[in-house]
């Protein structure tokens, strides 16, 4: 295994860029190959079998780029595909669910943890299953928030409509007095302040993007897979691939990164 | 050509069922094969090339069912794929844009027509192009309404949030004093009353689903392709295919039809 090879990161679209951004921050020397499945986005409302099929195609594509590890930077795909795919490949692969769950289990004082995510992520029950493995006495309240992604993608990060929808989605979690809330979809950190305002200062918000980058770093160190190359130029260090028109993706990526990315390349993911 | 063959109807997902429903109403003896691309929905935010590729796959699938005509029951796919595909096949194929545009051009008194639809439909400019062919003096104001589809799919047909979003989207069209408004996405007839409340009683709302069924009937009659079979049993007359889990589709279809549909069959559309 080439320790100077890139890390593969994929998501249904742009959301996983919040995870890629954390990896860039925490491991600035590492190369990244990012794939966003913009032709088939979103994943959150689709079935397990479909998401598993899509994830396998993407993993096969990333393998052609000789990645040394893969991060599933999408909660829905982590919930539906990580377990199966990790049996099928021989490089490290991690999802975003376990790292966030671990931190939440450690952080809670009253044992009541809220999880918000897409329909698929919540329906999978995987956050609950993993949290219970850390501590079976935890009480977990999951809530699907299907409109958050379209609102974030429309740029309505600070908007009265987003506030109103968030109030409805979060009402039950407030009532149940969770003291820790997992932002179980990669889009949600972008409306963190709205969620914070509604849930109040006393609640601990867990951002799995951050925790996933921490986990990844530990795994790469453990397996002697951290890069030995230094002083790479940012714009040449990151390659982006998408399944639909690259322009929209590029705009979004540039809006959340502190540098301009190279133009993403469009590929036909159905061929993999 | 077998005049008793079914009519093929397709959409990115469930929305096209509003078109299928009109065909069922106006031509109750005809058989229908419906395909909803639920694994890749939505189409509205994706590029022309991607939608053209998906539409070609679906047309190839419908051809295996020996359909006698095809209806593209999706505004985005009609905008991006109808022209090309109609050159590639030798059975009648119609979209939802021209029939709605024709009625709108006839209906307007002040020559100002509003068009609401997905990003893709509005960006394509096809409604404007076709309306101008009917009368080049028409003034057309297009407005993309990207949140309408997710709101409709969440069942928020009568909801203060949908009202608020609709007010924002429709504000400019009111200000410009359009007297005719085309509901240029198959989901929009389901929030017709919200749109009606905001636009006022004086505005003519054009539902392309209805007009498309009228056009289809004329074409089938003209080409002697209307069925000669009578007295079919509804539940056996309609076949539904989807690319993702059939259950959600079935629920939606049953909620808008006056009878229970057969369980849709899931197929792998990427193989076509």
């Amino acid at each position: 295994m080439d320790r100077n090879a890139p890390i593969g990161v994929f998501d249904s679209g742009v959301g996983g860029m919040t995870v890629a951004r954390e990896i860039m921050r925490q491991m600035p020397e590492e190369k990244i190959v990012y794939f966003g499945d913009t032709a088939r986005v979103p994943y959150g409302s689709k079935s397990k079998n479909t998401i598993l099929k899509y994830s396998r195609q993407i993993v096969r594509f990333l393998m052609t780029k000789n990645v040394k590890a893969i991060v599933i930077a999408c909660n829905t795909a982590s919930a539906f595909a990580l377990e199966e795919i990790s049996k099928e490949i021989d490089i490290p692969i991690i999802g975003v669910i376990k790292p966030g769950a671990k931190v939440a289990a450690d952080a809670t004082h009253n044992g009541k943890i809220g999880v918000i995510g897409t329909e698929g992520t919540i329906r999978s029950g995987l956050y609950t299953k993993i949290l219970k493995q850390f501590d079976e006495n935890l009480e977990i309240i999951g809530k699907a928030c299907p409109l958050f992604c379209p609102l974030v993608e429309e740029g309505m990060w600070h908007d009265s409509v987003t506030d109103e929808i968030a109030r409805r989605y979060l009402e039950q979690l407030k009532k149940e007095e969770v003291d820790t809330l997992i932002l179980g979809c990669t889009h949600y950190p972008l409306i963190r302040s709205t969620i914070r305002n509604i849930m109040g200062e006393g609640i601990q918000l867990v951002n799995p993007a951050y925790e996933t980058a921490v986990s990844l770093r530990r795994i790469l160190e453990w397996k002697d897979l951290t890069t030995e190359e230094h002083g790479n130029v940012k714009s040449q260090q990151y390659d982006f691939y998408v399944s639909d028109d690259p322009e929209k993706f590029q705009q979004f990526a540039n809006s959340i990164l502190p540098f301009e990315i190279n133009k993403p390349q469009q590929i036909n993911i159905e061929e993999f």
Side-chain angles (χ1 to χ4, degrees), chain A residues 26-47:
Chain A
Q26 295 183 34
M27 284 165 279
E29 307 292 346
E30 295 292 343
K31 294 196 282 288
I32 293 175
V33 175
Y34 183 99
F35 176 79
D37 199 0
T38 48
R40 302 186 293 196
V41 69
Y43 283 5
S45 51
K46 291 163 191 168
S47 69

Side-chain angles (χ1 to χ4, degrees), chain A residues 63-82:
Chain A
M63 289 305 215
T64 68
K65 300 292 166 191
N66 297 314
V67 295
K68 65 182 173 188
I70 290 177
V71 178
I72 306 185
C74 167
N75 282 268
T76 311
S78 299
F80 286 153
L82 175 63

Side-chain angles (χ1 to χ4, degrees), chain A residues 188-209:
Chain A
Y188 299 178
L190 300 170
I191 50 168
R192 191 190 178 102
S193 67
T194 302
I195 295 167
R196 163 68 68 207
N197 285 343
I198 291 166
M199 294 304 290
E201 288 298 326
I203 303 288
Q204 305 178 75
L205 297 184
V206 175
N207 177 1

Side-chain angles (χ1 to χ4, degrees), chain A residues 7 18-27 71 94-96 99-100 207-221:
Chain A
I7 297 159
T18 62
V19 180
R21 183 173 64 170
E22 283 300 335
I23 298 170
M24 294 170 184
R25 275 184 192 146
Q26 295 183 34
M27 284 165 279
V71 178
I94 65 170
V96 287
N207 177 1
Y210 178 85
E211 311 304 340
T212 300
V214 173
S215 280
L216 176 66
R217 179 182 206 157
R218 285 201 195 117
I219 289 167
L220 294 183
E221 283 169 357

Side-chain angles (χ1 to χ4, degrees), chain A residues 95-135:
Chain A
V96 287
I97 290 184
K98 203 167 180 180
K102 175 81 179 73
V103 170
D106 289 344
T108 183
H109 295 295
N110 71 1
K112 287 186 172 186
I113 297 175
V115 182
I116 54 177
T118 65
E119 253 184 79
T121 299
I122 299 303
R123 203 176 55 229
S124 77
L126 194 62
Y127 267 109
T128 302
K129 189 175 150 196
I130 289 178
L131 284 162
K132 294 267 188 192
Q133 284 168 3
F134 292 123
D135 179 353

